[in-house]
Amino acid sequence: LAEIVASFDLVLITEHFDESLLVLGRVMNWSTQQLLYLSQKRRKTNSAAATHPFASAPAAMAAFNVSALARAHGWPDASLLRRGDSSWLWPHELDALVRGNWLDTLSYICFNQTLWRQIGELWPGAAGAAAFSRELSEFRQ
């Protein structure tokens, strides 16, 4: 993984594609006009997706947030078991998933953290965070 990290100055993260493009633009000194793209497969956001049971399933959350891994134990919440459309993982399934894809998992965690570190460096402090938020909002319009 260290060799992979050393090989790339920037890795775009699909889940944070717009943010990644703003970092690329800042590093390459490109205007946001030069970064515009047409999204072919963007999903519509809705309130149901934000409150989907997956969002609160500890084992599933741990796959996306390394700090949540410590809470990924025990049984799923009973409400998750009652819903046929809910997405959750048993702890042993999460363990098998992470073990089977350990390099992918570590790479994702590493490059995701690197992206947010780069954002903090390129837009430092509270004023920088506010400026980044504004730029991101404008870029998405």
Side-chain angles (χ1 to χ4, degrees):
L1 182 60
E3 288 180 30
I4 295 170
V5 170
S7 300
F8 297 100
D9 293 325
L10 174 65
V11 173
L12 304 182
I13 303 294
T14 308
E15 293 87 354
H16 305 293
F17 193 67
D18 293 342
E19 293 90 338
S20 297
L21 284 177
L22 287 180
V23 171
L24 176 65
R26 179 66 62 100
V27 169
M28 300 299 292
N29 199 27
W30 293 342
S31 72
T32 53
Q33 293 296 317
Q34 293 172 295
L35 300 171
L36 294 179
Y37 67 99
L38 292 175
S39 178
Q40 298 289 318
K41 298 181 179 180
R42 180 163 289 199
R43 294 181 184 165
K44 293 180 182 177
T45 57
N46 60 36
S47 59
T51 59
H52 192 275
F54 176 80
S56 62
M61 287 174 28
F64 299 103
N65 180 351
V66 71
S67 65
L69 196 56
R71 296 186 306 272
H73 57 81
W75 299 91
D77 184 84
S79 65
L80 294 176
L81 296 172
R82 286 192 285 276
R83 293 187 55 153
D85 65 341
S86 65
S87 300
W88 51 270
L89 297 171
W90 293 99
H92 73 278
E93 291 173 324
L94 174 63
D95 183 61
L97 182 67
V98 171
R99 287 176 189 264
N101 299 297
W102 65 272
L103 186 55
D104 291 338
T105 302
L106 287 177
S107 298
Y108 178 83
I109 291 168
C110 174
F111 287 117
N112 192 37
Q113 289 175 345
T114 300
L115 171 66
W116 294 106
R117 181 182 46 76
Q118 289 173 322
I119 289 170
E121 291 171 357
L122 293 169
W123 287 271
F132 179 77
S133 182
R134 277 191 310 276
E135 287 180 43
L136 185 59
S137 293
E138 291 170 7
F139 182 67
R140 287 180 170 163
Q141 291 179 0

